[in-house]
């Protein structure tokens, strides 16, 4: 039988199977991203040669990076959270209403964002981990609730004019040593927004957490085999709760970063963001079955996703539908590659 | 609490809806003792162990541990681990996506951070000491099942434990690995660790254990010192009755007295599971068997006959006529039935009822557009439940709630219902209680006497000797010999397996 | 451990009763709630629609009308869930594709709205397109072994774009009156047509389940694919088949949806309908991780969801805020039916009984 077969070529695979699944998928993701970006620089040139193009990708996707990181955490434990897009919209709307209609200050608005994220994370985490309800259903309800609440808080979209906030929103951090000479012959420094710094910090922090802390390793164990993790002495419920809680908080932070980027409240904000977050995680090498994934991969996944969109629109396919089709095609290719690779390994 | 005791369980009760799994069971373990926990399937061994390790919460009773004044509270596996109770389960309870080293260290220790370098070094040292052919940084799923089991044992042994529980750890190990494990157990015993050992292999009990506690139907039968309880008595205690003499079952059954015709002939058969091409034949009414060490390819041979693995070469003849068997359905249509080795993953369809599990194969043969009526299905199911004495609440009970032996009988019923000419039984007696083992062996001989050809595979050679009239011996994935008649004895079989005659 | 607790002692009949019990209880709860709050909810009035045909109107008719769309999808979704242990989240997007194909075939690019082909041809083309999409999802799930939710994420992302691309982003509209029958009323029959279409679909589904082994096979494959294979089944094909069947259901809904408007709005048509369909399956008490199913419970679940939606509209909840209320109801339902909670309640009940006994 299978197991006897495995016993026989056990010695073989011991030498061959040097990489863990996580590292293998990460390498593929990073390689694809570099090939794609360098290819664009060589063949398309235009904008891709300007550093600012790259930083604009970061500026536009800081919020997605943060929410996708949260998504990856949950996916590594074998769950899913499709409420993140809704939470982002709700956070933007609440903060916008607070800042403009209630004359609030920026600091408190950040607390509000965190509190909303925390509340969603805690409730969903409790339902998933302690009542053992399927994460898909729980977060589906979470998404409905967040989207519904957003319109209940305020219906019409509007721009925030709070001075302190506008100042914060406009803050640009120059990237030393990077810049281009513009049409007028003036040297312009490349810049990033505050959100990007937050996103990068979060990526580094989460990467370290997953790699070196006990809690992080428990995520992988729980995602790999929940029953086994329990038998190995891991508090599975706490771990799953913690993952959903973190994802909620990250959705809150992501919501604020999104809000900072767009500077307005609207019920249609961040629509489909949960799907982009899932897609980025998958392209970044996270398996929805759990136990395999890497935060750095997710980061590269987000970059790949928006790079391909940039490439498509810069080669002239700028009708609205091409974006959707390209993203889907990319997702499809990655899924098939992963599936074939992992199947061959077994 | 006794001075030498490390563990005392008193008056343990545990019920599941409809079942009282444990009723007032006491268990007592001393320092430096290997204590066998014996009983048939459903006797409550696993439940007792799961109560002790915190997988289940007990309904009533107390657990005392050495060094604790009051009864200890164990609500979850990590509680048990922190109290110095470590466990190796029959099924691999490690995480396939983590590395070997992580599997050995995760979930224990106080450190909040992982020092990968130190962990890998420590793990490599332990693996080397125990002679386990794996590297610390390897992903666990890249290791064979046997090595995974050894890693689980290494983890349990490395923990600074007072009580070590081994719940059927040997079922996927070969003899040399079992010897290694026994060596380890003796070392730990010398260090004063109390070991609870659960197994179905009587030989192993008498080889390493000091004491035996027997459970039956969720109740304690008694605790015995090993010298006071010879095998026959042990079996009698487990069954609650004197066992009929198993050695005689062959003479009870009449051999088949029909014409000598070949049912299946295979030539140069080879599958993608890595066996050398082999030839095979079986006659009407014959019982033969494949034997050999684990990993010798005996299961792969029968899987190739059934096309369970992809067949890449060879021809098969049925009743002398060449047939094409490319997938299991083709084999079934040619009257071949196959009871797989891995009951849980390849045999049962867990959530489906006993009835649906019984009719499944026959239904597939009958065709997509011709379902059995409910009445027909019930009739078949009840007929076989009665015939094989399957213990189930009703035909609607999900099969997964039956005990292992009864599940196996349901799978057997499934294949008998297809009225096969040739029945392959791959380890039908593994992990089931002795009473059912004997029943199955008797049934095999009865079916053969009625003209069915049967291939019977078992890890226990005496079972094979009792049932088979011809044995095909395998070594290193190829057929190395064939024994029949007087050659069918332990010594000759061992010699052929080991290759002594070459 | 939980498995043992769940299955011990309760036969399949008991589970069946329990399963259909969830949607029925929800339905009764909603009915009683409305009866108390405002019995006029159940009023049905007779009138004439803009085309001058006799029609019945009222909340119950609305439920029958719109609930039918979800009910039809729930049939296919239940099968997909059972066989593959996952859900198809692309149904809304594929409804858009199917609708787009119908309009392309019936009107064509730059058409004046007159029919260029019989409606049945348009419908068959839509069936083909939707089943092709189903087959694509099915291949990814069954052959490449990608989790269903992720595999269908592809068409979920691309579907509406593809739909727009089919008609080159034009919005063709049909002027022919017969085309409106499918999503509206057939002259002389006062009950909305979608209900009859749903009934036909349900009857076909039940007949198929009765006279073939589809039910047994999908359940066996969903519970244990490897042992199904060793029993002569082809799990890959069966999983694939369920996706194709769902594609057929989607095409029917595509016809109803486009018929309602006689045109299409690519980004809005059948928006979030996949969520309703999945909820219907869950409300029907089917395990979303696959295995045993009860198709009638799912269908009932679909109407319960529409009942809830209509009730909320009745209470002046705006359509944008609707999801928030739905979410609360869903959470309450799943929490009540969660095994962990059930156990707690049972234990608590026992305690109370014991205390009474002592006193």
């Amino acid at each position: 039988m299978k197991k006897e077969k495995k016993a026989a070529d056990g010695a073989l695979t011991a030498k061959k199977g040097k990489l863990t699944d996580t590292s293998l998928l990460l390498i593929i993701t990073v390689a694809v991203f570099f090939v794609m970006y360098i290819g664009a620089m060589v063949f398309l040139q235009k904008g891709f040669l300007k550093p600012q193009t790259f930083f604009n990708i970061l500026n536009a996707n800081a919020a997605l990076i943060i929410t996708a990181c949260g998504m990856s955490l949950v996916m590594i434990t074998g769950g899913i959270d499709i409420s993140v897009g809704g939470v982002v919209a709700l956070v933007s709307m609440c903060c916008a209403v607070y800042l403009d209609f209630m004359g609030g200050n920026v600091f408190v608005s950040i607390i509000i964002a965190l509190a909303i994220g925390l509340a969603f994370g805690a409730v969903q985490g409790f339902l998933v981990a302690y009542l053992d309800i399927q994460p898909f259903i729980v977060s589906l309800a979470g998404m409905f609730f967040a989207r519904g609440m957003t319109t209940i808080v305020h219906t019409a979209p509007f721009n925030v004019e709070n001075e302190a906030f506008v100042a914060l929103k406009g803050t640009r951090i120059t990237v030393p040593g990077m810049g281009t000479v513009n049409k007028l012959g003036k040297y312009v420094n490349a810049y990033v927004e505050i959100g990007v710094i937050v996103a990068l910090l979060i990526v580094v922090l989460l990467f370290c957490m997953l790699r070196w802390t006990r809690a992080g390793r428990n995520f992988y164990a729980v995602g790999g085999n929940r029953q086994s993790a329990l038998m190995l002495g891991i508090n599975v419920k706490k771990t799953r709760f913690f993952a959903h809680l973190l994802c909620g908080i990250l959705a809150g932070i992501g919501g604020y970063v999104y809000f900072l980027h767009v500077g307005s409240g609207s019920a249609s904000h961040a629509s489909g963001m949960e799907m982009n977050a899932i897609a980025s995680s998958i392209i970044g090498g996270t398996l929805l079955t759990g136990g395999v994934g890497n935060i750095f991969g997710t980061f590269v996944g987000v970059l790949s996703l928006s790079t391909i969109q940039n490439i498509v629109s810069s080669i002239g396919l700028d009708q609205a539908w091409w974006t959707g089709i390209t993203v889907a095609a990319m997702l499809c290719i990655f899924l098939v590659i992963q599936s074939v690779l992992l199947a061959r390994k077994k | 609490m006794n001075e030498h005791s490390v563990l005392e369980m008193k008056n343990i009760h545990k019920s599941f809806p409809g079942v009282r799994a444990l009723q007032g069971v006491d268990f007592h373990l001393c320092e430096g003792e290997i204590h066998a926990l014996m009983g048939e399937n459903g006797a409550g061994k696993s439940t007792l162990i799961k109560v002790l390790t915190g997988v289940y919460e007990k309904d009533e009773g107390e657990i005392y541990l050495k060094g604790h004044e009051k009864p200890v509270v164990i609500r979850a596996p990590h509680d048990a681990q922190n109290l110095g109770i470590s466990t190796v389960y029959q099924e691999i309870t490690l995480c396939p996506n983590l590395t070997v080293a992580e599997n050995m260290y995760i979930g224990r220790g106080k450190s909040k951070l992982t020092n990968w370098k130190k962990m890998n070094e420590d793990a490599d040292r332990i693996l080397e000491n125990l002679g386990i052919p794996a590297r610390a940084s390897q992903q666990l799923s890249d290791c064979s099942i046997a090595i995974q089991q050894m890693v689980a044992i290494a983890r349990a042994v490395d923990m600074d434990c007072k009580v070590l529980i081994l719940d059927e750890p040997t079922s996927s190990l070969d003899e040399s690995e079992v010897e290694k494990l026994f060596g380890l157990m003796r070392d730990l015993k010398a260090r004063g660790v109390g070991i609870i050992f659960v197994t179905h292999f009587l030989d192993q009990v008498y080889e390493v254990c000091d004491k035996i506690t027997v459970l039956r139907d969720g109740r304690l039968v008694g605790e015995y010192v090993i010298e006071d309880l010879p095998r026959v008595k042990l079996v009698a205690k487990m069954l609650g009755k004197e066992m009929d003499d198993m050695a005689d079952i062959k003479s009870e059954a009449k051999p088949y007295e029909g014409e000598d015709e070949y049912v299946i002939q295979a030539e140069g058969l080879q599958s993608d599971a890595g066996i050398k091409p082999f030839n095979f034949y079986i006659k009407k009414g014959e019982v033969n068997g494949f034997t050999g060490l684990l990993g010798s390819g005996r299961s792969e041979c029968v899987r190739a006959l059934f096309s369970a693995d992809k067949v890449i070469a060879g021809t098969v003849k049925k009743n002398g006529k060449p047939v094409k068997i490319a997938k299991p359905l083709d084999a079934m249509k040619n009257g071949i039935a196959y009871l797989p080795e891995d009951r849980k993953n390849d045999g049962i369809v867990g959530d489906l009822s006993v009835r649906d599990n019984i009719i499944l194969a026959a239904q597939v043969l009958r065709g997509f557009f011709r379902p059995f009526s409910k009445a027909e299905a019930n009739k078949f199911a009840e007929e076989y439940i009665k015939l094989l004495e399957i213990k189930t609440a009703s035909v609607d009970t999900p099969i997964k709630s039956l005990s292992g032996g009864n599940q196996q009988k349901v799978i057997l019923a499934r294949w008998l219902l297809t009225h096969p000419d040739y029945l392959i039984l791959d380890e039908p007696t593994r992990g089931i209680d002795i009473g059912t083992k004997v029943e199955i062996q008797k049934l095999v001989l009865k079916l053969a006497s009625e003209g069915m050809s049967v291939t019977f595979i078992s890890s226990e050679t005496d079972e094979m000797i009792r049932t088979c009239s011809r044995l095909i011996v395998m070594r290193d994935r190829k057929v190395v010999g064939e024994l029949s008649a007087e050659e069918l004895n332990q010594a000759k079989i061992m010699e052929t397996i080991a290759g002594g005659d070459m | 451990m939980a498995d043992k607790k769940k299955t011990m002692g309760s036969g399949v009949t008991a589970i069946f009763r329990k399963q259909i019990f969830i949607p029925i209880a929800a339905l009764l709860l909603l009915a009683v709630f409305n009866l108390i709050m405002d019995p006029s909810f159940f009023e049905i009035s007779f009138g004439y629609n803009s085309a001058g045909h006799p029609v019945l109107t009222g909340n119950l008719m609305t439920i029958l009308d719109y609930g039918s769309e979800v009910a039809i999808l729930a049939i296919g979704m239940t099968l997909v869930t059972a066989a593959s242990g996952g859900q198809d989240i692309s149904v809304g997007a594929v409804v858009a594709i199917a609708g787009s194909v119908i309009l392309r075939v019936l009107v064509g690019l730059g058409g004046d709205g007159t029919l260029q082909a019989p409606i049945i041809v348009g419908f068959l083309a839509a069936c083909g397109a939707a089943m092709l999409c189903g087959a694509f999802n099915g291949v990814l799930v069954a052959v490449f072994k990608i989790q269903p939710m992720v595999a269908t994420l592809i068409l979920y992302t691309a579907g509406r774009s593809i739909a727009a691309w089919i008609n080159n982003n034009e919005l063709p509209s049909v002027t022919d009156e017969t085309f409106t029958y499918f999503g509206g009323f057939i002259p002389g029959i006062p009950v909305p047509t979608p209900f009859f279409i749903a009934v036909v679909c349900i009857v076909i589904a039940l007949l198929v389940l009765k006279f073939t082994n589809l039910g047994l096979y999908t359940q066996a494959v969903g519970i244990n694919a490897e042992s199904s294979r060793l029993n002569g089944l082809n799990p890959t094909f069966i999983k694939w088949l369920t996706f194709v069947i769902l594609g057929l259901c989607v095409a029917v809904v595509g016809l109803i949806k486009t018929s309602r408007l006689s045109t299409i709005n690519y980004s809005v048509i059948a928006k979030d309908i996949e969520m309703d369909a999945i909820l219907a399956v869950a409300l029907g008490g089917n395990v979303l991780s696959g295995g045993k199913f009860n198709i009638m419970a799912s269908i009932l679940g679909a109407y319960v969801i529409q009942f809830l939606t209509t009730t909320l509209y009745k209470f002046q909840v705006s359509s944008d805020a609707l999801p928030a209320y739905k979410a609360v109801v869903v959470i309450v339902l799943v929490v009540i039916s969660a095994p962990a909670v059930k156990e707690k309640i049972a234990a608590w009940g026992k305690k109370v009984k014991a205390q009474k006994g002592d006193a």
Side-chain angles (χ1 to χ4, degrees), chain A residues 219-243:
Chain A
F219 280 15
Y220 284 92
V222 168
N225 185 331
R226 206 180 299 160
Q227 192 62 26
S228 292
L230 181 74
M231 302 287 203
L232 289 173
I234 291 165
N235 191 334
V236 173
K237 287 179 177 169
K238 205 167 112 189
T239 306
R240 294 179 81 198
F241 174 76
F242 189 49

Side-chain angles (χ1 to χ4, degrees), chain C residues 13 22 43 66 89-90 109 121 127 168 174 187 216 241 244 267 299 321 340 349 351 353:
Chain C
T13 43
I22 300 171
E43 271 171 19
Y66 287 87
I89 58 169
S90 71
L109 291 182
V121 175
C127 287
N168 205 17
V174 181
L216 180 66
L241 185 67
V244 176
S267 58
I299 292 164
K351 223 180 186 176
K353 237 185 212 168

Side-chain angles (χ1 to χ4, degrees), chain A residues 136 140-141 275 282 288-289 339, chain C residues 144 147 149-150 153 275 327:
Chain A
F136 185 83
L140 179 67
M275 293 307 163
I282 289 165
L288 198 76
T289 38
S339 144
Chain C
F144 289 101
Q147 305 95 310
M149 249 208 60
V150 182
L153 183 62
M275 302 306 174

Side-chain angles (χ1 to χ4, degrees), chain B residues 181-407:
Chain B
L181 174 64
F182 286 174
L184 262 175
M185 284 164 70
R186 292 191 185 103
D187 284 352
L188 290 169
K189 177 180 154 180
R191 279 178 11 208
V193 176
I195 300 174
I196 304 174
F197 186 46
V198 182
T199 180
H200 272 107
F201 300 104
L202 296 185
D203 291 341
Q204 297 181 351
V205 172
Y206 284 91
E207 196 179 334
V208 288
C209 295
D210 304 307
K211 276 192 201 151
I212 303 178
T213 290
V214 180
L215 299 181
R216 190 174 65 234
D217 298 332
R219 291 173 198 275
L220 178 71
V221 175
E223 188 195 286
Y224 311 91
V225 178
I226 198 118
E227 288 82 19
D228 301 347
L229 194 71
R231 275 168 206 239
V232 187
K233 277 201 181 151
L234 169 60
V235 172
K237 300 268 185 220
M238 285 163 62
L239 292 175
K241 61 179 181 208
E242 297 298 324
M243 192 176 47
D244 21 345
D245 191 4
M246 297 201 297
D248 262 358
I249 57 171
K250 204 168 189 172
S251 51
E252 280 172 27
K254 302 185 297 276
Y256 171 69
E257 290 157 351
E259 279 175 56
D260 230 18
E261 50 184 306
Y262 291 107
V263 176
I264 298 285
Q265 287 163 285
E267 219 168 295
L269 202 62
Q270 192 183 8
S271 76
D272 68 348
I275 37 163
K276 305 266 160 31
F278 69 99
N279 300 333
F280 175 83
Y281 72 89
I282 190 162
K283 290 179 187 163
K284 201 164 162 59
E286 187 189 357
V287 182
N288 72 1
F290 281 86
T291 185
L293 296 174
L294 203 72
S296 61
R298 48 178 204 221
S299 290
E300 282 81 350
C301 283
V302 289
R303 282 178 74 90
L305 285 167
F306 189 70
S307 238
D309 296 324
K310 195 165 184 269
V311 174
I312 50 178
T315 54
V316 179
K317 280 189 210 162
K318 166 87 195 296
N319 297 331
K321 279 183 230 104
V323 288
K324 193 175 171 295
I325 298 180
K327 54 181 190 290
L329 188 60
D330 298 341
M332 287 160 64
K333 281 182 180 154
N334 281 300
I336 305 176
Y338 165 63
L339 182 138
E341 179 190 21
D342 186 341
R343 180 179 64 234
K344 199 171 138 215
N345 291 321
D346 297 346
I348 65 168
V349 183
D351 290 313
L352 284 189
S353 63
V354 168
R355 174 191 51 237
D356 287 346
N357 267 288
I358 288 178
I359 63 161
L360 186 58
Q363 181 65 77
V364 171
L365 269 179
R366 200 168 127 116
F368 183 75
F369 293 104
R370 298 178 57 210
F372 289 123
S373 71
K374 190 130 188 175
E376 275 175 299
N378 279 334
K379 200 184 105 239
F380 286 136
E382 311 229 329
E383 182 186 329
Y384 278 91
I385 286 173
K386 217 163 133 199
L387 184 73
L388 300 180
E389 296 176 13
I390 300 169
K391 288 195 193 84
T392 170
S394 75
V395 291
D396 289 318
T397 311
I399 190 173
K400 67 180 181 189
S401 62
L402 268 55
S403 74
N406 282 311
Q407 289 182 2

Side-chain angles (χ1 to χ4, degrees), chain A residues 67-82:
Chain A
T67 46
C69 283
M71 184 69 78
S72 297
L73 290 183
V74 174
M75 278 168 67
I76 287 171
T77 60
I80 192 149
D81 184 347
I82 56 171

